[in-house]
Amino acid sequence: MSQPANKIKRIAIATGGGDAPGLNAVIRAATLAALNRGWEVYGIRDGFNGLLMPEQFVEGGLVPLTRDTVRGITHLGGTIIGTTNRGNPLRYPVKGLDGVVQEVDRTDELIRAFLLHGIDALISVGGDGSMEIANALAQKGLWVVGVPKTIDNDLDGTVITFGFDTARCFSTECLDRLHSTAASHRRVIVVEVMGRYAGWIALESGIAGSVDVILIPEIPYDLNKVAQKIKERDEMGRNFSVVLVAEGAKPLGGDVTVSSREVGRAERLGGVGEKVCAELQEMTGKETRLVVLGHLLRGGSPTSFDRLIALRFGAAAVRALSEGRRGVMVALNPPTVNYVPLEDATRRMKSVPLDCDVMLTARDLGICFGD
Ligand code: F6P
């Protein structure tokens, strides 16, 4: 499987995990850059399911990507080749004869499918799960380049992932809208945003949207501190408050709020906003309402920032292949795009450093973190 760069004839692109605005821009840039080198390009349907479960797809598990199929998609949310978070080949959910679902490693089978289809190299676009898969496939000899995606911005090795800016901007716009209604009704509004392991969306949109409280996974919270903040604002005549909670936030000494568990996929988070809302109403006696932004943060048209990053990442992934690089992830290292070993990118999550200047800014602005 170790092909010299000038021997590449056919590559595949896979998008895995939760979707993020900018996936289509990556697909377009990578496809055009590859076609311009005379390579053929295929999209694998729904992560790797197009190769592992081809019979599931009426039009086949591999979609030819041509100038026509990638025309006019840069501004579109979602991914034209589909994605899934139930198809991790390292831990694929398989139902046994006894009806029990177990996680099975199907990476060898996947490598054979690449060989069978004459695919010389893979561009794997995704978050931490996809980079872990890409790394495992690279270790087994497949020629892989990763492209970092996630609205949570929690991948290490790159200053930013595409999708994050769109989520941050949308969250900020929602917070602006919620401010005026919270103020008019003198209410507390609790807003829950995504952010499983890292609080980047909550932190940055919270500062930009001038909220009063931000609860993030990195700082276990004490709601007494939050209630105190709301009380102090009331005493100053600011009788409304906006409290922004990342889905992965947890109380001091407590754990994250899980909404469901299923074999073969990460546990689903959600519900912390509801708890915070009910408890704050009880503690402050103020009318408290909840808004969960959830998947709205993942949809819609990517911002121009995300489009540009995604296009740069897609083109850079193809340049990496044509330069003979393998086992690397494309990364933004301003002002340029560079490459980091997949192993480094998957070693740890990029959580919010508590002493970073964005955190210090929030503290200087008087934002409460429940600590
Ligand atoms: O990784 C991005 C993310 O948006 C997380 O913040 C969230 O926990 C997860 O995806 C939700 O995924 P799903 O769409 O499978 O519920």
Side-chain angles (χ1 to χ4, degrees), residues 202-282:
L203 177 65
E204 299 204 358
S205 66
I207 295 174
S210 304
V211 303
D212 309 295
V213 179
I214 302 175
L215 305 180
I216 56 175
E218 292 84 346
I219 307 178
Y221 63 79
D222 173 357
L223 280 190
N224 291 306
K225 301 278 171 60
V226 178
Q228 179 62 27
K229 168 79 180 178
I230 293 170
K231 196 163 159 265
E232 281 166 16
R233 282 179 51 78
D234 274 352
E235 284 163 5
M236 289 188 308
R238 311 291 291 151
N239 39 26
F240 72 95
S241 291
V242 180
V243 176
L244 185 55
V245 190
E247 64 178 352
K250 45 185 171 300
L252 209 58
D255 213 343
V256 290
T257 311
V258 176
S259 69
S260 69
R261 288 191 172 87
E262 201 182 297
V263 182
R265 57 161 296 177
E267 54 192 15
R268 239 167 86 188
L269 300 188
V272 65
E274 205 177 330
K275 285 186 187 166
V276 166
C277 184
E279 286 177 43
L280 283 180
Q281 174 148 313
E282 182 74 28

Side-chain angles (χ1 to χ4, degrees), residues 111-256:
I111 301 263
R112 284 197 294 277
F114 279 106
L115 280 172
L116 184 73
H117 291 281
I119 297 167
D120 304 308
L122 165 72
I123 295 179
S124 176
V125 192
D128 58 319
S130 300
M131 293 309 124
E132 186 198 4
I133 298 163
N135 192 29
L137 295 175
Q139 307 278 334
K140 293 195 172 194
L142 190 72
W143 194 346
V144 193
V145 171
V147 174
K149 159 242 73 169
T150 157
I151 64 163
D152 290 0
N153 195 31
D154 57 6
L155 262 179
D156 207 23
T158 181
V159 164
I160 207 162
T161 51
F162 73 84
F164 170 63
D165 183 60
T166 308
R168 174 176 60 181
C169 289
F170 180 72
S171 175
T172 305
E173 188 193 328
C174 293
L175 292 169
D176 290 346
R177 288 169 187 244
L178 292 167
H179 242 109
S180 53
T181 173
S184 306
H185 288 268
R186 301 173 187 188
R187 284 173 174 156
V188 173
I189 295 199
V190 175
V191 186
E192 182 184 306
V193 289
M194 283 189 173
R196 171 175 280 275
Y197 307 110
W200 293 108
I201 298 175
L203 177 65
E204 299 204 358
S205 66
I207 295 174
S210 304
V211 303
D212 309 295
V213 179
I214 302 175
L215 305 180
I216 56 175
E218 292 84 346
I219 307 178
Y221 63 79
D222 173 357
L223 280 190
N224 291 306
K225 301 278 171 60
V226 178
Q228 179 62 27
K229 168 79 180 178
I230 293 170
K231 196 163 159 265
E232 281 166 16
R233 282 179 51 78
D234 274 352
E235 284 163 5
M236 289 188 308
R238 311 291 291 151
N239 39 26
F240 72 95
S241 291
V242 180
V243 176
L244 185 55
V245 190
E247 64 178 352
K250 45 185 171 300
L252 209 58
D255 213 343
V256 290

